[in-house]
mmCIF file with all atom_site columns, all heavy atoms in Angstrom:
data_model
loop_
_atom_site.group_PDB
_atom_site.id
_atom_site.type_symbol
_atom_site.label_atom_id
_atom_site.label_alt_id
_atom_site.label_comp_id
_atom_site.label_asym_id
_atom_site.label_entity_id
_atom_site.label_seq_id
_atom_site.pdbx_PDB_ins_code
_atom_site.Cartn_x
_atom_site.Cartn_y
_atom_site.Cartn_z
_atom_site.occupancy
_atom_site.B_iso_or_equiv
_atom_site.pdbx_formal_charge
_atom_site.auth_seq_id
_atom_site.auth_comp_id
_atom_site.auth_asym_id
_atom_site.auth_atom_id
_atom_site.pdbx_PDB_model_num
ATOM 1  N N   . LEU A 1 93  ? 21.796 22.800 56.412 1.00 96.00 ? 93  LEU A N   1
ATOM 2  C CA  . LEU A 1 93  ? 22.098 21.472 56.963 1.00 96.00 ? 93  LEU A CA  1
ATOM 3  C C   . LEU A 1 93  ? 21.244 20.441 56.143 1.00 96.00 ? 93  LEU A C   1
ATOM 4  O O   . LEU A 1 93  ? 21.830 19.274 55.963 1.00 96.00 ? 93  LEU A O   1
ATOM 5  C CB  . LEU A 1 93  ? 21.835 21.443 58.376 1.00 96.00 ? 93  LEU A CB  1
ATOM 6  C CG  . LEU A 1 93  ? 22.027 20.038 59.127 1.00 96.00 ? 93  LEU A CG  1
ATOM 7  C CD1 . LEU A 1 93  ? 23.452 19.594 58.967 1.00 96.00 ? 93  LEU A CD1 1
ATOM 8  C CD2 . LEU A 1 93  ? 21.605 20.114 60.595 1.00 96.00 ? 93  LEU A CD2 1
ATOM 9  N N   . LEU A 1 94  ? 20.033 20.775 55.776 1.00 96.00 ? 94  LEU A N   1
ATOM 10 C CA  . LEU A 1 94  ? 19.295 19.802 55.023 1.00 96.00 ? 94  LEU A CA  1
ATOM 11 C C   . LEU A 1 94  ? 19.998 19.408 53.715 1.00 96.00 ? 94  LEU A C   1
ATOM 12 O O   . LEU A 1 94  ? 20.057 18.246 53.381 1.00 96.00 ? 94  LEU A O   1
ATOM 13 C CB  . LEU A 1 94  ? 17.819 20.313 54.797 1.00 96.00 ? 94  LEU A CB  1
ATOM 14 C CG  . LEU A 1 94  ? 16.901 19.479 53.902 1.00 96.00 ? 94  LEU A CG  1
ATOM 15 C CD1 . LEU A 1 94  ? 16.644 18.135 54.592 1.00 96.00 ? 94  LEU A CD1 1
ATOM 16 C CD2 . LEU A 1 94  ? 15.575 20.241 53.592 1.00 96.00 ? 94  LEU A CD2 1
ATOM 17 N N   . ALA A 1 95  ? 20.581 20.406 53.008 1.00 97.00 ? 95  ALA A N   1
ATOM 18 C CA  . ALA A 1 95  ? 21.244 20.032 51.801 1.00 97.00 ? 95  ALA A CA  1
ATOM 19 C C   . ALA A 1 95  ? 22.502 19.288 52.063 1.00 97.00 ? 95  ALA A C   1
ATOM 20 O O   . ALA A 1 95  ? 22.823 18.425 51.305 1.00 97.00 ? 95  ALA A O   1
ATOM 21 C CB  . ALA A 1 95  ? 21.546 21.333 51.040 1.00 97.00 ? 95  ALA A CB  1
ATOM 22 N N   . TRP A 1 96  ? 23.189 19.544 53.142 1.00 96.00 ? 96  TRP A N   1
ATOM 23 C CA  . TRP A 1 96  ? 24.409 18.790 53.512 1.00 96.00 ? 96  TRP A CA  1
ATOM 24 C C   . TRP A 1 96  ? 24.011 17.331 53.747 1.00 96.00 ? 96  TRP A C   1
ATOM 25 O O   . TRP A 1 96  ? 24.736 16.438 53.238 1.00 96.00 ? 96  TRP A O   1
ATOM 26 C CB  . TRP A 1 96  ? 25.036 19.317 54.762 1.00 96.00 ? 96  TRP A CB  1
ATOM 27 C CG  . TRP A 1 96  ? 25.503 20.737 54.662 1.00 96.00 ? 96  TRP A CG  1
ATOM 28 C CD1 . TRP A 1 96  ? 25.497 21.553 53.578 1.00 96.00 ? 96  TRP A CD1 1
ATOM 29 C CD2 . TRP A 1 96  ? 26.014 21.588 55.716 1.00 96.00 ? 96  TRP A CD2 1
ATOM 30 N NE1 . TRP A 1 96  ? 25.988 22.794 53.888 1.00 96.00 ? 96  TRP A NE1 1
ATOM 31 C CE2 . TRP A 1 96  ? 26.306 22.804 55.229 1.00 96.00 ? 96  TRP A CE2 1
ATOM 32 C CE3 . TRP A 1 96  ? 26.189 21.277 57.040 1.00 96.00 ? 96  TRP A CE3 1
ATOM 33 C CZ2 . TRP A 1 96  ? 26.759 23.923 56.046 1.00 96.00 ? 96  TRP A CZ2 1
ATOM 34 C CZ3 . TRP A 1 96  ? 26.701 22.330 57.861 1.00 96.00 ? 96  TRP A CZ3 1
ATOM 35 C CH2 . TRP A 1 96  ? 26.941 23.538 57.345 1.00 96.00 ? 96  TRP A CH2 1
ATOM 36 N N   . LYS A 1 97  ? 22.942 17.110 54.446 1.00 95.00 ? 97  LYS A N   1
ATOM 37 C CA  . LYS A 1 97  ? 22.575 15.737 54.656 1.00 95.00 ? 97  LYS A CA  1
ATOM 38 C C   . LYS A 1 97  ? 22.100 15.010 53.446 1.00 95.00 ? 97  LYS A C   1
ATOM 39 O O   . LYS A 1 97  ? 22.485 13.873 53.224 1.00 95.00 ? 97  LYS A O   1
ATOM 40 C CB  . LYS A 1 97  ? 21.326 15.776 55.677 1.00 95.00 ? 97  LYS A CB  1
ATOM 41 C CG  . LYS A 1 97  ? 21.659 16.155 57.034 1.00 95.00 ? 97  LYS A CG  1
ATOM 42 C CD  . LYS A 1 97  ? 22.430 15.118 57.801 1.00 95.00 ? 97  LYS A CD  1
ATOM 43 C CE  . LYS A 1 97  ? 22.596 15.508 59.214 1.00 95.00 ? 97  LYS A CE  1
ATOM 44 N NZ  . LYS A 1 97  ? 23.491 14.495 59.995 1.00 95.00 ? 97  LYS A NZ  1
ATOM 45 N N   . VAL A 1 98  ? 21.459 15.734 52.559 1.00 94.00 ? 98  VAL A N   1
ATOM 46 C CA  . VAL A 1 98  ? 21.046 15.152 51.273 1.00 94.00 ? 98  VAL A CA  1
ATOM 47 C C   . VAL A 1 98  ? 22.138 14.786 50.405 1.00 94.00 ? 98  VAL A C   1
ATOM 48 O O   . VAL A 1 98  ? 22.210 13.747 49.740 1.00 94.00 ? 98  VAL A O   1
ATOM 49 C CB  . VAL A 1 98  ? 20.049 16.074 50.619 1.00 94.00 ? 98  VAL A CB  1
ATOM 50 C CG1 . VAL A 1 98  ? 19.849 15.723 49.118 1.00 94.00 ? 98  VAL A CG1 1
ATOM 51 C CG2 . VAL A 1 98  ? 18.692 16.107 51.337 1.00 94.00 ? 98  VAL A CG2 1
ATOM 52 N N   . PHE A 1 99  ? 23.140 15.736 50.250 1.00 95.00 ? 99  PHE A N   1
ATOM 53 C CA  . PHE A 1 99  ? 24.312 15.487 49.337 1.00 95.00 ? 99  PHE A CA  1
ATOM 54 C C   . PHE A 1 99  ? 25.472 14.762 49.978 1.00 95.00 ? 99  PHE A C   1
ATOM 55 O O   . PHE A 1 99  ? 26.377 14.391 49.240 1.00 95.00 ? 99  PHE A O   1
ATOM 56 C CB  . PHE A 1 99  ? 24.804 16.901 48.759 1.00 95.00 ? 99  PHE A CB  1
ATOM 57 C CG  . PHE A 1 99  ? 23.823 17.382 47.675 1.00 95.00 ? 99  PHE A CG  1
ATOM 58 C CD1 . PHE A 1 99  ? 22.812 18.202 48.011 1.00 95.00 ? 99  PHE A CD1 1
ATOM 59 C CD2 . PHE A 1 99  ? 24.013 17.086 46.343 1.00 95.00 ? 99  PHE A CD2 1
ATOM 60 C CE1 . PHE A 1 99  ? 21.975 18.729 47.066 1.00 95.00 ? 99  PHE A CE1 1
ATOM 61 C CE2 . PHE A 1 99  ? 23.225 17.577 45.367 1.00 95.00 ? 99  PHE A CE2 1
ATOM 62 C CZ  . PHE A 1 99  ? 22.148 18.414 45.655 1.00 95.00 ? 99  PHE A CZ  1
ATOM 63 N N   . GLY A 1 100 ? 25.386 14.609 51.287 1.00 94.00 ? 100 GLY A N   1
ATOM 64 C CA  . GLY A 1 100 ? 26.462 13.813 52.072 1.00 94.00 ? 100 GLY A CA  1
ATOM 65 C C   . GLY A 1 100 ? 27.667 14.586 52.215 1.00 94.00 ? 100 GLY A C   1
ATOM 66 O O   . GLY A 1 100 ? 28.746 13.893 52.504 1.00 94.00 ? 100 GLY A O   1
ATOM 67 N N   . LYS A 1 101 ? 27.740 15.906 52.264 1.00 95.00 ? 101 LYS A N   1
ATOM 68 C CA  . LYS A 1 101 ? 28.949 16.610 52.584 1.00 95.00 ? 101 LYS A CA  1
ATOM 69 C C   . LYS A 1 101 ? 28.588 18.083 52.805 1.00 95.00 ? 101 LYS A C   1
ATOM 70 O O   . LYS A 1 101 ? 27.532 18.564 52.497 1.00 95.00 ? 101 LYS A O   1
ATOM 71 C CB  . LYS A 1 101 ? 29.971 16.540 51.428 1.00 95.00 ? 101 LYS A CB  1
ATOM 72 C CG  . LYS A 1 101 ? 29.430 17.137 50.050 1.00 95.00 ? 101 LYS A CG  1
ATOM 73 C CD  . LYS A 1 101 ? 30.437 17.000 48.929 1.00 95.00 ? 101 LYS A CD  1
ATOM 74 C CE  . LYS A 1 101 ? 29.861 17.450 47.587 1.00 95.00 ? 101 LYS A CE  1
ATOM 75 N NZ  . LYS A 1 101 ? 30.882 17.332 46.565 1.00 95.00 ? 101 LYS A NZ  1
ATOM 76 N N   . ARG A 1 102 ? 29.443 18.727 53.501 1.00 96.00 ? 102 ARG A N   1
ATOM 77 C CA  . ARG A 1 102 ? 29.334 20.132 53.764 1.00 96.00 ? 102 ARG A CA  1
ATOM 78 C C   . ARG A 1 102 ? 29.586 20.881 52.476 1.00 96.00 ? 102 ARG A C   1
ATOM 79 O O   . ARG A 1 102 ? 30.535 20.650 51.719 1.00 96.00 ? 102 ARG A O   1
ATOM 80 C CB  . ARG A 1 102 ? 30.351 20.565 54.862 1.00 96.00 ? 102 ARG A CB  1
ATOM 81 C CG  . ARG A 1 102 ? 30.099 22.026 55.315 1.00 96.00 ? 102 ARG A CG  1
ATOM 82 C CD  . ARG A 1 102 ? 30.759 22.265 56.684 1.00 96.00 ? 102 ARG A CD  1
ATOM 83 N NE  . ARG A 1 102 ? 30.452 23.623 57.136 1.00 96.00 ? 102 ARG A NE  1
ATOM 84 C CZ  . ARG A 1 102 ? 30.482 24.015 58.370 1.00 96.00 ? 102 ARG A CZ  1
ATOM 85 N NH1 . ARG A 1 102 ? 30.655 23.119 59.304 1.00 96.00 ? 102 ARG A NH1 1
ATOM 86 N NH2 . ARG A 1 102 ? 30.143 25.170 58.706 1.00 96.00 ? 102 ARG A NH2 1
ATOM 87 N N   . LEU A 1 103 ? 28.732 21.918 52.118 1.00 97.00 ? 103 LEU A N   1
ATOM 88 C CA  . LEU A 1 103 ? 28.806 22.533 50.922 1.00 97.00 ? 103 LEU A CA  1
ATOM 89 C C   . LEU A 1 103 ? 29.133 23.914 50.885 1.00 97.00 ? 103 LEU A C   1
ATOM 90 O O   . LEU A 1 103 ? 29.162 24.601 49.831 1.00 97.00 ? 103 LEU A O   1
ATOM 91 C CB  . LEU A 1 103 ? 27.380 22.368 50.140 1.00 97.00 ? 103 LEU A CB  1
ATOM 92 C CG  . LEU A 1 103 ? 26.881 20.920 50.025 1.00 97.00 ? 103 LEU A CG  1
ATOM 93 C CD1 . LEU A 1 103 ? 25.442 21.019 49.593 1.00 97.00 ? 103 LEU A CD1 1
ATOM 94 C CD2 . LEU A 1 103 ? 27.768 20.211 48.946 1.00 97.00 ? 103 LEU A CD2 1
#
Side-chain angles (χ1 to χ4, degrees):
L93 179 59
L94 177 60
W96 300 353
K97 291 290 187 179
V98 164
F99 284 90
K101 59 182 178 180
R102 188 161 184 153
L103 302 169

